[in-house]
Structure formats: structure tokens, C-alpha cells
Amino acid sequence: MNNFSSPKYDEHRAAIEKLRNKGRDWEFIKFYGKYDEEGLQNKLEQLQEDDMIPLDLISPLWLDIVKFMRELEERVQAIEEKIANNRILSRRQDNDLTIPNGAASSWQLYKNKLIKQGWTDESVSDVENTTISILRKLRVETTEPIKGLTIGNVQSGKTASMAALMAMAADWEFNLFIVLSGTIDNLRKQTEDRLLDDLKISGNLSWERLSRLSLKSGSSHKVSSLLLNKGSRERYLNVCLKNKTRLNDLIHWLKEDGKKLSQMRILIIDDEADQGGINTNDVNDTAAERTALNKAIVGLVNIQANDGGKPLSMNYISYTATPYANFLNESSEESLYPRDFVAVLNPAKEYFGAKQIFGLENDEYYRGLPMVREITEDDRDLVNAIHKEEEFYLPKSFEDALHWFLLSTSIMRYRKYKKPISMLVHTSQKQSHHQVFADLINNYFRNTSKAKIIESCRELYAEELKKFTKEDFEMEFDVYPNKEDVKDYPPFEKIEDELKRLIRNRPSHINVLEETKRLEYHDGLHLCIDNCANNGVTEELDHVRLAYPDLKAPNYPAPAPAFIVIGGSTLSRGLTIEGLISTYFLRTTSQADTLLQMGRFFGYRKGYEMLPRIWLTTDTEEKFRFMATLEEELREDIETYILEGMDANEYGPKIKNSPKLTWLRITAKNRSQNAEQIDLDFSGTSSQSILFDNDSVIQRKNIEVTEHFLNRLGTANETRNNRGLYWKDVPFEQIKDEFFGKFEFSKQSMFANMEAFFDWYQKKETEAGFTSWNIVLSGTGKLDDEKKRKWVVGGRDVGLVTRSRRGAATGGKINIGVLRAPTDLYADMTEEMYKSIPDVYKPTQSGKAERAFLKDQLEEIDEKQPKKSVVNELRKAAGLGLTPQLLLYRIDQNSKFEGTQGENTSEANKRYDLNASEDLIGVSLFVPGYRSGKNLATKLSIRIDNPIGESETGEGEE
């Protein structure tokens, strides 16, 4: 049987991949669009005449390779689907609840609403599967509260997940739903209105709003009036501000009637759980009081009536996109630590998240969409001067952001888009600064002629159409569904009339009609200053704060209303900015979780995917990219724990260390009090050197060290793909002394200080069960290929690999961006190991879901770096689950960059010929992941000072 994954068929597969990459389905590819094998053969002969495919690629071989590749793709998808559907970290036994299927059930009504809103079948199915998985970890009767955590993404639809869980739980007789929402009332109200709109649909159940619950007069309800008996169709929702007074009022209200309390099946959802409720007092001082807000939440979760009555069930679930404080603060029995389960939400494929917008560090697959524009240092200084009222004109970058908003609004109106369209200006928390910028915007429109504005827009439009093209979108966001439906830019002439209409009058606040107090919207620009200084209507009958019109209202404005929104804290977290297409963001913070939550530009952009733009400093852009990488690695860690069958109370995240943490804390210091600076855990480490000193003396020495080390390892084995060599069962001490002890890394490299790793490995090697190491020398082309520039090692000729330089064409430091090819992590598998991997690998441990791990995954030809969890499982299935791997490369100093890059490619991401003074030795380290039930750190640990550099996963490196 032919091995179609071998290099022998590289060109054959490439011909088929070319069709697949063009979006052709497998039925078309099978006969190349013809009717039968005879038509296929004729087509292949034409291609051979044009020298486009190998001469031996005849129709029977084509059909066999197509079958192989189709099955491979389907099996890879099956792996990813299995992993995607297993999103709960918990050993807690599931209850026997099922998905409600009655047409009038709360869940089915909500599900239908999602479908009507345009959710894809895949997204609805994912919400349903994740929701029932969470629901099965809850309890309809409890003696002790259930505590869980659900991790979403910023602006990714967490509210939809909450509504889905509430709907399903309501169908199973949960009857009181308490949502703790925000520290600002307009965000609380937005959440309350949204949830009621989602849930209050005529069906089997009747939903009722409970507002401002208190024993004081004026409360909307008395607890004694609630209908809570078994079989009652009433369901109650209270959205409570995270305010100690409001929470304590709620607690006193609930405790008043023990009989009613004992009928309650309570589900508490703590929205943005890392905000407000974290105990920031000294958690290690047993005598210390909890902070008032945290104490109130803990009191609510452990509520008991004055007469001793307790709820029939109590389930507390925290929701957040930035869970670092939740994990790192405290984990005592009394605390809110999610000891029962951790769930991970999948955003829909249409989601514009941090990794889609900013890319991931050291990941060529996620490079980021070219929609980010720079605020220069000069413009940043000018903004600071504007805040101090020392300068009185807008920076060039701000004018660009403003003009782009005008252009994009005109495009969306030209396309008959109906919902609100927004620009966000976020430069400061201070209310006085907000007013200064509002005045400058007004002055700009007052003092600039309409003709000049239109001409400036025309020039910017021509530039932007080159910087971010439809081709860029399709290449950088290849998972986006139905990319063919994404609209390209119309000609400027098509939108010019809409642009003139938009700027016909100067911006103004939202007008309030005197008689009806109704807000009146117009077809120009609404200028909103959203802060607490503008809570009322002015004497001029202006509504200054942001207020979007109700899309269902009979007087909804046309064309789509446009808003320039200036603000600070009220726009920093949770609040959705509708139709956000232009963001001017110049805020600084030393807390990573706060920074990520400020990203109002994350979310869904259905119908205007090509239009969003974000203006930032390069420093802030770098922080967002770091946070995107951190977020991705946290999710991969949890996924690995899930696949290993570990429990939530065994989970202590290992947060990536980086030089950036000298200026960026993961979360506030008093919110991460259980973060330890000792007892690091390097299991699951997957790191690669990408930074090199362009010093021929150093690199020559490294080549000699590596040659000496490899030649002393004995007889080498050929890698299965015949491109390199590997040695097995090499003792760690030999690697440590003969290679790492003599090799010289760049001081910026993560390998520059390996002592912490050596200490950990020697302490934990036996406990972890690690075997001796496998050493792999990766090459290109076939071994002993005379056509390749080669390196003679162990009597064999290994082809040198090629890598390009990133960020600068010359210089004393070389950054190659990425070293390791995805399949290199499987290069030390023998043919026998490969054949021994079953088509389906079924874990025997009770309670684990079936998982598919297919040997064909080993040969996936893809730029995408494989997930750490998949690598761990495939190596385990091949018998290498406890075998660490050291991968080595000799990189040709004369490597040429042969790819393409657009005009919009940022300088930091541009590629050049390697132009090195000597060949480089690249090093990759892979340490097996977690063993079930084993936490290879003595304590839950994170180290955030004295960090080292560039790790792919950064598993607790020092």
C-alpha cells in the first residue's frame, strides 16, 4: 500500500491542495470537475502538457490520493470536534438532566430566537452542547453550594451563554436566577433588558423581573409573594448591581422567609466575576475581614434564613473572559474558587478576538488582521497636551480615525445597514478630558470646510483600500464562514452622497423632545460623552450620554444612526458598543486583565467585516498581542487538563512569563495573592529558540558543540519521512552537560537561563515517570540528497533548513519568528509506532468522553501549529507519552525569503533574507504534558518577576 504522506508524493498532494485552498469541495476535486475517470484523465494530461503536475499523476493515482486526503481532512475535523465538544474541567459526576425538547420549553424558544437572529447551525449546536454540559454539573438539590467558572472571550456572547443556561435550568425547575452584573448601573440595566428580552417569550414558563429587592418600602416584591411550589410556571430574575448595599439588601430580603427560601432552586451567575467580587484583603491572615463586596457575595452563596432554612439548591457560576484573579487569589473552602468545574466557551468562527486582530507571538498562522493603525509617539504626546489644555488641534491619527468613521458609516448606509454605527474615543478616565475632546471634534467640523473633509476622506480611502484587502481578510481569517459573502469596498463615488449627507450639519448631542421626553435622532453625527457627569438631560434638552435607539420602536431612525462616543470607565468593560468601526484607544494600564476587558473592538462584525479599524500605540498593540497569546495558552492548558481527566480543584494555571511582565501585570497584586514565586511546573513546555546573535564566532562554536554532542550519541535512526535523524533513550544528564552546558544562546532567548528548568526536571523526573529523551535532527529534502546544502552528522548527509529573518533586513539580532514545523514533533516516531496507533484511541478511565486520535493526523500538511493537547495525546498513543524531545536544526545562513507580503504588513512582521554571518543552530524543547491526577508543582504557581524570553507556551518559565 502506498504511503501517500511521504515526500515522494509532495508534488502530487500539492496539486490537490491547490484546488482545496481555492474552496473546491471534494466532489469537484474527485474528477476535477469532469463527469468520470475518463474526463479526469484528459484533464490531467492537459495539465501535464503545461508542466503543472507530475507526469506519473494519472487518474487512478489521483483518485487514490484524493481519497487519502479527504479521509485525512475528515478525521482531523473529527479530532477537533471531539476536543471542541469536551469543554468541562471536572471529575464531578454528571446529573441526569437532558436537553429540553418541548416546543414551548424555555430552551427551545430561546434556541429558535438565536436561529432567527442569524446564528449558524454550528454556533447554536455549540451553545446547546456547552450549556447542557454545564447544567449537568449543577445540582437541583444541594447541601453545599456548587461553585463553577465559565471562561468566555471579551465581547464574544457570554450573555447568550448565560441566557441559554438560565433557559435550560428553568425548564428543569430552577426558579430563582440572580445575576450579579457590573459596578455601573447602565451596564446592569443593559444586561437585565437583554436577558429579559431573550427569555420572556410566551411558552410553558412565565418570567418575571425582580428589581431593587429590599425590606425597605418601595421594593418591587415581597419574598412571600413568590410562587415557588413544585409545578409552578413562574421563574424569577433579579439582576443585582455589584454593590455591597444592594447585595446586603438582597440577602436580608431572601432571609426574611425561611419557608420560601427552602423552596428556592437558585442559580447565581456572577457576570465579569473578576471585577468587584475578588477579596483584595490579606487572604493569608485568618483574622482579616473579607472586603465588603466579596463578603456579601460569599454570604449570598452560603445564605441561611433567620429560622435556619436553606435553599433547596444553591449553584454559583462565575463568568469572565479574564479569569486570572479568580484562579490566583484564594482557594479556601469558604472562597468562591471554582472547585467543582471550569467550563470553556467556544466563540463562533465569526468572532473577531484578540488573536484574530493582533495575532499570536511566534505563530505564523495567526499574524493578525491588518486593521490596526499606529498612534505615533508625537500624537500620543499631543493628546496629553490636549488633556492639559496646552494644545487645541486634533492629532493626524485622530483625524484619520474620524475620517474613517465617516467613510465606513457612509458605506454601511449605502448598503442599507439599519443598526447603530459607532466610533469609540477612549483616551482617558478623567471626565474633564472627555469634554475637551468633544469640544475639539466640534471645532474641527466648525472650522474645516466640507470640501476639505471630503477630499481628506477620499485620500484616506485610497490608502486604506490598499492596506486591508479582501485577499488579506481571506488569508488571515481563513476559518471565517462564507467568506464569499464578505463585502468588498465600493468605489468612493458610490458613497460620496451619503458622506455629504452625514456631514451636512455639525455633530450634536441626542435631542430630547420637550413634551414627550422622547429621544430624537437625526441623520447626522450624534456626539455622546458617556460618563457619570452627564446622567441627566441638560437645560438645552440634550441627552449627552450614550443611548441607542430601540430597533423595534416604530420611530426608529433612518438611515442608520451614527454615534461618536467619548468616555472612560463606563466604556471599559461589558458595555457593547454597537456597530463599532473606528476606535481611537490611548489608555495605559499595568494590568493585563483590565487592558483586555477594555477591548470594545472585540466581537462580531457581521455585514461589515472589512470596515473596523483600531488606532493604538505600538506599545499597546504589543500588549494586546501578548494577552492574546496568554489567553490562548490558558485555554490550551485547560483543554489538556480536560483530556487528562483532572478535576477543577487540581487546576492551578501556569501563567506565561515574559519580559513584558516588567510593565504588565496579569492582574492587580492584591487580586493574585495565591500566586507563588516558587515550585514551578514545566510539564507541557513547548518552546523554541527564535532569537539569535548574528555573531559568527558564537554560531561557529554552537555548530561545533552540536556536532560533537550528536556524534557522541551513537548510531542514528532515520526519521520516518527520511528527512532527518533521531536518537532515542538519551539520558537527561548527558543533554544537560554536553549540550546545554556548552551551547551559547542569545541573552534574550528563553534558553539563556535554564537553571530553573534543570532543577525542576531533576526533582520531578521520577515522580512524573519521564523516560530518557529522544533527540531529533530535522532536515529538508531526503537524507544524502546531493542537491541540498548538507551537514554531515553520524556519517549521514542532512539537508540544512531555511528560515527567513523578521522585522529587519540587517542587524546584530536575528528574529526568525518561528522555528519548528508542525510535524517535527512526531519525527521521532518509528514506522512501527505509527502503524500501532489505532484509528480510534479510547481511554479506559471511567467518566472520560471518547476521543478520536488518528495516525493520519501525524501527516497533516498545514502551517498551523498543532494544539499542545493533540500533540500530547498523539505521542501518548504512539507510546511516547512520557518521552521528552529535543529538536535541533541547522539553519542555512544564506536562506532566502521566497514568500510575499502586502504593503500593509507592519515593519515588525516584514520578512527578509536571513543574511546571517554563519549558519544558526535552532533548538526546540518539548516536555510531555500532565499525567492524570498529577500536579507537578508543589503549589499552584506563577512567577512574574525575573522572567525570561520567548516561549511558545511559556509554562511557568522563570
Side-chain angles (χ1 to χ4, degrees), residues 37-97:
E37 191 169 344
E38 183 180 350
L40 169 64
Q41 182 60 38
N42 291 334
K43 178 67 177 179
L44 296 178
E45 288 173 2
Q46 292 173 18
L47 295 172
Q48 287 164 348
E49 287 177 11
D50 295 334
D51 200 25
M52 296 178 68
I53 63 172
L55 292 175
D56 65 339
L57 187 48
I58 58 178
S59 59
L61 182 59
W62 174 277
L63 292 171
D64 285 345
I65 297 177
V66 167
K67 181 182 178 184
F68 165 79
M69 294 180 67
R70 181 176 186 171
E71 290 176 354
L72 167 61
E73 182 179 289
E74 290 170 352
R75 289 170 178 175
V76 168
Q77 288 172 353
I79 292 174
E80 293 176 345
E81 287 171 10
K82 291 284 186 181
I83 292 173
N85 291 333
N86 193 4
R87 311 300 295 177
I88 307 291
L89 175 64
S90 176
R91 282 197 192 140
R92 173 172 288 279
Q93 185 175 355
D94 285 357
N95 59 47
D96 58 1
L97 301 184

Side-chain angles (χ1 to χ4, degrees), residues 709-738:
F709 170 65
L710 293 177
N711 285 327
R712 284 173 57 85
L713 293 178
T715 305
N717 305 281
E718 292 184 12
T719 56
R720 188 165 41 81
N721 60 16
N722 194 237
R723 291 175 181 169
L725 303 172
Y726 77 93
W727 296 259
K728 59 183 180 179
D729 299 328
V730 181
F732 175 68
E733 285 293 331
Q734 185 177 351
I735 299 169
K736 174 176 171 287
D737 295 339
E738 296 183 16

Side-chain angles (χ1 to χ4, degrees), residues 669-709:
K669 188 174 181 180
N670 61 1
R671 290 151 56 89
S672 56
Q673 298 180 64
N674 267 8
E676 298 287 341
Q677 295 187 10
I678 55 174
D679 299 323
L680 303 177
D681 185 351
F682 289 87
S683 58
T685 294
S686 178
S687 302
Q688 50 188 319
S689 60
I690 61 169
L691 293 176
F692 302 87
D693 295 321
N694 194 12
D695 185 315
S696 59
V697 175
I698 292 173
Q699 300 308 333
R700 186 66 243 167
K701 174 197 168 189
N702 285 342
I703 293 170
E704 292 170 0
V705 166
T706 309
E707 274 185 351
H708 181 74
F709 170 65

Side-chain angles (χ1 to χ4, degrees), residues 185 198 200 257 342 367 419 603 609 611 674 827 886 908 958:
D185 201 56
D198 286 341
K200 202 165 185 177
D257 190 331
V342 175
R367 294 180 297 183
K419 295 180 181 178
E609 292 89 344
L611 299 183
N674 267 8
L886 176 65
E958 181 176 41

Side-chain angles (χ1 to χ4, degrees), residues 2 48 60 73 118 145 210 355 396 400 460 465 530 545 575 669 688 737 763 800 819 823 946:
N2 289 326
Q48 287 164 348
E73 182 179 289
L210 303 177
K355 73 177 180 181
K396 173 64 166 59
D400 286 347
L460 179 66
L465 265 57
D530 201 89
R545 289 196 74 166
L575 192 68
K669 188 174 181 180
Q688 50 188 319
D737 295 339
K763 287 178 184 176
L800 272 58
L819 169 71
T823 53
N946 191 28

